[in-house]
Structure formats: C-alpha cells, structure tokens
C-alpha cells in the first residue's frame, strides 16, 4: 500500500498502467492521474487513489508556497510550479522550501 498518502477518502480509479508502476508513484493516463495503490506491471490494471493528499518528489532549488498550483513534469518525474508543457495535478498543501526534495500536494479530484 502506498505510504506517501497523507489524507485519503478512499476514492479509487482503476486504469491500465502505461508502464510498470510502483506503489506510491504518480500515474498519469491522459487527463486522469492518481497515486498507485500497489505495484503493477505495464498494461496491467492498477488502482489509483484520487483526490488525496500525497507527498511527491519536487525539484530542489525552487520553493513551492502553500496553495500554489502544482504541475507534474513528466520528463523529470517531479512536481513544479511551471505550467509550461506540464499537467496541473493540484495545489501545495504545505509550503516546501527550495532545499526540500518533496512537497505535499492535494491532488485535484476532477479530471
């Protein structure tokens, strides 16, 4: 079970994994995204926790203020405040300092 989920209402969405996924990893399928609840092989069904708070990787050197829009940089597999070519996934639940390697994100529950 994913250990990086800090608040969970129990909402799940089952998708076909676009690649091998690890429990706790952010999975994006088209405009749908969530945290993988378990490990899954590529092309296998995987349940995603949606509309949750989760601790995700972020790029060091840039802070993210509480309430700021958070986007997913798929190329570098981390959170960013840059909207350019990155999907909006939610808002920062708490402020993350520039030296922090993670940020707690309230994932957007709608697609």
């Amino acid at each position: 079970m994913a250990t990086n989920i800090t608040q969970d209402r129990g909402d799940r969405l089952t998708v076909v994994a676009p690649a091998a996924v690890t429990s706790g990893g952010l999975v994006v399928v088209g405009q749908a995204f969530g945290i993988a609840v378990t490990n899954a092989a590529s092309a296998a069904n995987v349940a995603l926790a949606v509309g949750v708070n989760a601790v995700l990787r972020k790029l060091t050197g840039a802070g993210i203020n509480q309430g700021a829009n958070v986007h997913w940089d798929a190329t570098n597999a981390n959170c960013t405040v840059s909207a350019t070519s990155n999907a909006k996934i939610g808002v920062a639940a708490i402020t993350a300092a520039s030296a922090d390697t993670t940020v707690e994100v309230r994932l957007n529950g709608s697609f």
Side-chain angles (χ1 to χ4, degrees):
M1 184 65 129
T3 60
N4 61 329
I5 296 174
T6 60
Q7 291 183 13
D8 187 358
R9 297 181 319 212
D11 294 339
R12 301 290 184 262
L13 174 67
T14 300
V15 299
V16 175
V21 298
T22 303
S23 176
L26 182 73
V27 176
V28 179
V29 177
Q31 297 300 309
F33 52 85
I35 303 299
V37 176
T38 60
N39 296 338
S42 179
N45 286 343
V46 62
L48 303 181
V50 295
V52 300
N53 282 29
V55 177
L56 299 171
R57 286 179 13 150
K58 78 165 208 48
L59 185 63
T60 58
I64 300 178
N65 292 324
Q66 183 178 40
N69 288 332
V70 176
H71 301 266
W72 183 249
D73 177 349
T75 301
N76 296 303
N78 61 34
C79 294
T80 179
V81 294
S82 172
T84 306
S85 301
N86 298 317
K88 181 180 175 189
I89 60 171
V91 297
I94 59 173
T95 296
S98 63
D100 292 340
T101 59
T102 61
V103 60
E104 184 175 339
V105 179
R106 174 65 180 174
L107 296 179
N108 185 0
S110 58
F111 307 114

